[in-house]
Amino acid sequence: MAKLISFSLVSIVPPPFKTEYAVGIAEDGKGNRMPVRIEKNFFDSLKIGMSGRVEKKVTDFGELTFFIPEIEKKIEKKVALITGATRGIGRAIAIELANRGYDVAINDVELPDEGKEAIKSIETFGRKAIFAQADVSKYTEVEQMVNSVQEKLGTIKVLVNNAGINVDKLITNMQPEDWQKVIDVNLTGVFNCTKAVIPHMIDAGGGKIINMSSQGALDGPIGQANYAAAKGGVTALTKVVAREYAQYNILCNALAPGCIHTRMTDSIPPGQLKERIYQIPLGRRGEPEEVAKLVAFLAEEGNYINGQLLLINAGEYL
Ligand code: NAD
């Protein structure tokens, strides 16, 4: 076992990459001192006098001696913020993530009974759930909400940008305010929450952002110019976030659900809904819980998936 006698951080920034490591002096059990290098992932726990082992490794710059700190194993606290989560797909995501050990912040514009029940059921299996009120289309509200979630639950590890609305009309009937409202919630809302959460994720050493796009971004749905444009924008924004923040271990992906069994598709006129279901090879709508499982997979296991649009539609759109 060796002891860390001194260290300093080194940061080399040739854009777009940033190389960071620490150099220091370690002392072995016999009092011999040696120069060591320390990897970036140990930065948060470095302390003068801490114990660790020294190990020689071959690098691009030849053989170097590394100091590997002995760190107490902390149980990682997992916190997720899900927007538009008092009902539908968002609610199912909150329950699924809580089931997998997350404390969850359930965002929405108001808290209806369905949301209150979701919070209660999450608490029964031992996780914390809080209601985080904000209109995602308003940046100041989002910023306050994110700070309050950080205070109450801790660092947000997973952000699910799920809040969405639709105001379906042919373009000739669509008023500028119908266009604007849908863009503001579905697209600007994703930007607002992403912008507010990313600095916290950077400080915490990483995170996952999962955006709810839609099949509507891909198949030109009649009557949904505003919705399709917003969801296409979400897909494009996802790719930018994925490239800009992967260097901070923040991965960003989007989902494009097909026809999911929520209030959004309950509002389709019955004849039209029947016709749509006829186009789905499985012959049914997807359940919110089925989408939630894919979100949980990305949150928990998708460590080499970044900037992708994942389709979940039972083959309705191929
Ligand atoms: P839903 O209408 O049941 O739920 C949407 C939630 O977002 C609601 O709780 C609503 O109150 C909330 N919300 C609306 N405006 C908000 C705002 N300004 N700030 C915060 N919250 C707000 O819809 P859903 O079917 O569960 O859809 C969830 C997401 O999935 C949406 O982004 C939707 O576009 C997307 N999606 C749904 C389907 C589907 O078939 N249901 C398909 C593709 C994509």
Side-chain angles (χ1 to χ4, degrees):
M1 208 36 84
K3 257 199 177 94
L4 189 62
I5 302 298
S6 66
F7 68 89
S8 57
L9 307 183
V10 179
S11 183
I12 305 164
V13 196
F17 300 110
K18 197 157 136 189
T19 312
E20 285 179 309
Y21 56 88
V23 289
I25 302 288
E27 187 179 274
D28 68 15
K30 293 176 192 147
N32 302 316
R33 293 190 171 192
M34 66 207 86
V36 289
R37 187 185 274 229
I38 306 159
E39 310 255 38
K40 183 191 168 190
N41 50 325
F42 296 118
F43 278 11
D44 285 349
S45 43
L46 288 185
K47 273 189 217 126
I48 304 260
M50 77 188 304
S51 302
R53 62 192 163 83
V54 284
E55 198 175 287
K56 288 195 190 302
K57 286 188 202 170
V58 179
T59 72
D60 291 346
F61 308 101
E63 192 180 73
L64 296 173
T65 306
F66 282 80
F67 178 79
I68 297 128
E70 193 185 47
I71 299 169
E72 294 161 44
K73 281 220 162 108
K74 286 189 215 146
I75 297 169
E76 203 195 356
K77 193 164 157 32
K78 301 195 287 186
V79 175
L81 166 62
I82 305 114
T83 68
T86 60
R87 65 170 200 241
I89 296 172
R91 181 180 185 276
I93 294 168
I95 293 173
E96 182 67 34
L97 290 180
N99 243 323
R100 294 176 187 232
Y102 284 80
D103 290 339
V104 292
I106 292 180
N107 155 266
D108 218 301
V109 280
E110 56 184 17
L111 181 60
D113 288 344
E114 257 173 296
K116 287 182 192 152
E117 281 159 27
I119 288 176
K120 266 194 211 141
S121 69
I122 287 169
E123 285 168 351
T124 58
F125 46 80
R127 303 295 353 147
K128 283 189 200 155
I130 59 166
F131 176 56
Q133 188 166 23
D135 175 342
V136 293
S137 68
K138 298 185 174 133
Y139 186 70
T140 40
E141 286 188 29
V142 167
E143 203 176 29
Q144 276 168 13
M145 166 188 71
V146 167
N147 289 338
S148 143
V149 171
Q150 292 272 137
E151 261 171 43
K152 290 178 184 155
L153 297 182
T155 303
I156 297 163
K157 277 265 165 199
V158 173
L159 165 67
V160 186
N161 283 308
N162 168 79
I165 56 165
N166 61 314
V167 181
D168 298 352
K169 289 172 189 172
L170 294 176
I171 292 172
T172 41
N173 296 332
M174 191 176 283
Q175 298 306 310
E177 49 276 22
D178 299 328
W179 168 269
Q180 197 58 52
K181 180 77 189 148
V182 172
I183 299 288
D184 286 351
V185 175
N186 295 21
L187 177 56
T188 309
V190 176
F191 167 79
N192 287 343
C193 296
T194 303
K195 180 174 168 57
V197 165
I198 275 181
H200 298 288
M201 286 184 170
I202 291 177
D203 284 349
K208 300 269 173 64
I209 301 176
I210 299 150
N211 296 331
M212 213 49 77
S213 179
S214 170
Q215 184 173 303
L218 304 169
D219 66 358
I222 289 172
Q224 292 196 310
N226 47 4
Y227 184 81
K231 294 300 190 183
V234 168
T235 307
L237 175 59
T238 300
K239 296 181 188 191
V240 176
V241 175
R243 277 200 198 273
E244 282 188 10
Y245 298 99
Q247 62 176 317
Y248 298 104
N249 196 28
I250 297 170
L251 303 186
C252 182
N253 291 287
L255 261 53
C259 189
I260 309 301
H261 188 183
T262 68
R263 216 170 298 175
M264 197 173 264
T265 52
D266 281 345
S267 66
I268 301 174
Q272 230 176 298
L273 180 61
K274 203 169 162 195
E275 221 172 89
R276 182 155 179 201
I277 291 173
Y278 187 69
Q279 304 298 321
I280 303 172
L282 269 185
R284 65 168 177 87
R285 284 187 276 179
E287 292 304 322
E289 291 72 20
E290 291 171 311
V291 180
K293 286 203 160 57
L294 184 53
V295 171
F297 171 77
L298 286 173
E300 288 282 271
E301 286 163 85
N303 294 327
Y304 202 68
I305 306 174
N306 193 29
Q308 303 300 314
L309 177 68
L310 278 74
L311 279 58
I312 172 161
N313 62 28
E316 184 191 7
Y317 176 87
L318 297 170

